Amino acid sequence: MRNIVVLISGKGSNLKAILEAQRDHHWDAQITRVFCNRPNAPGIEIAETFGVPVTVLNQQDFINRDAYDQCLLSQIQLEQPDLVVLAGYMRILSHEFVDYYAGKLINIHPSLLPSFPGLNTHQTALTTGVKWHGATVHFVTRELDVGPIVAQGVVPVHNYDNLDTLSDRVQAIEHIIYPKAIEWFLKDQIFLQDGIVSVIPPQSQFFS
Ligand code: GRF
């Protein structure tokens, strides 16, 4: 049985999709704990509904980023995770943290990387007029939003879209690709060579 921890900051819809997949697909893994940096995040209630313990580490209770990250790392280490899943975790992790969990730390980003790293990706998609947008599951490396890509989900951008319609469409595909990528990881199907991720036996890492 593998151990997974999930880090959240907000709504927790990806957390919910992951918990549902773990339950419905009988993963040989348990989500042992959810960590959250915001005491009022709605995702906390989702974890509790599924009976998963939550640790809230409020950034305001720490004197600086290093102190926060050291505490977070030591608390996560107690879970002995095989995989650390960032699901809308809106804090940049320290290099120490990223290095410690290298190869076991994944994130979902709401764009087709390498397009639109950083924040406000849906707004950027609308204002640049791209016709395709989507989400990317990737390994986390020191540099923000550039780690090896595990899976991408693509959605169309329509002229009548607004932030809500577009982000809803992207989130719907996030909820498909993130559990899928985690399943590959749990089945040891993910191989990383020269910064490129392959899934063995080969299958599409592209979703639409
Ligand atoms: C998602 O859009 C994800 O791509 C980004 O943060 C958002 C989290 O949403 N990293 P939720 O909290 O999982 O609903």
Side-chain angles (χ1 to χ4, degrees), residues 16-196:
K16 182 163 182 268
I18 292 163
L19 286 164
E20 285 172 350
Q22 187 252 355
R23 180 193 63 200
D24 298 344
H25 301 175
H26 309 290
W27 288 358
D28 191 20
Q30 53 187 346
I31 288 97
T32 63
R33 185 169 292 274
V34 167
F35 290 86
C36 183
N37 64 321
R38 293 190 182 143
N40 300 323
I44 294 171
E45 204 178 316
I46 292 174
E48 287 168 353
T49 304
F50 280 78
V52 177
V54 180
T55 296
V56 178
L57 295 177
N58 189 345
Q59 49 218 45
Q60 284 162 3
D61 296 340
F62 293 82
I63 48 168
N64 57 30
R65 176 175 291 274
D66 275 354
Y68 184 94
D69 277 7
Q70 275 167 21
C71 179
L72 178 68
L73 181 56
S74 64
Q75 296 272 317
I76 290 179
Q77 282 169 333
L78 294 175
E79 304 298 317
Q80 301 189 307
D82 299 286
L83 181 64
V84 177
V85 174
L86 307 182
Y89 185 66
M90 300 302 286
R91 267 177 77 87
I92 293 175
L93 293 162
S94 64
H95 286 179
E96 185 197 2
F97 189 104
V98 170
D99 292 349
Y100 190 86
Y101 285 114
K104 297 177 169 186
L105 178 61
I106 57 173
N107 182 44
I108 188 155
H109 180 77
S111 80
L112 295 172
L113 290 171
S115 291
F116 313 154
L119 297 173
N120 303 321
T121 57
H122 305 314
Q123 184 62 50
T124 310
L126 291 172
T127 53
T128 54
V130 293
K131 304 306 171 202
W132 296 102
H133 186 40
T136 303
V137 178
H138 65 95
F139 282 105
V140 177
T141 54
R142 285 183 172 203
E143 209 179 333
L144 195 65
D145 299 332
V146 299
I149 291 170
V150 179
Q152 290 191 302
V154 174
V155 300
V157 183
H158 302 299
N159 289 341
Y160 53 79
D161 270 326
N162 57 39
L163 269 183
D164 288 340
T165 58
L166 186 56
S167 66
D168 284 353
R169 196 174 304 125
V170 171
Q171 282 234 296
I173 204 142
E174 288 184 349
H175 302 159
I176 295 168
I177 66 173
Y178 216 3
K180 190 74 198 168
I182 294 169
E183 284 180 17
W184 289 334
F185 185 92
L186 294 172
K187 290 179 180 165
D188 296 319
Q189 288 182 273
I190 290 183
F191 293 84
L192 178 59
Q193 190 173 24
D194 300 329
I196 305 292

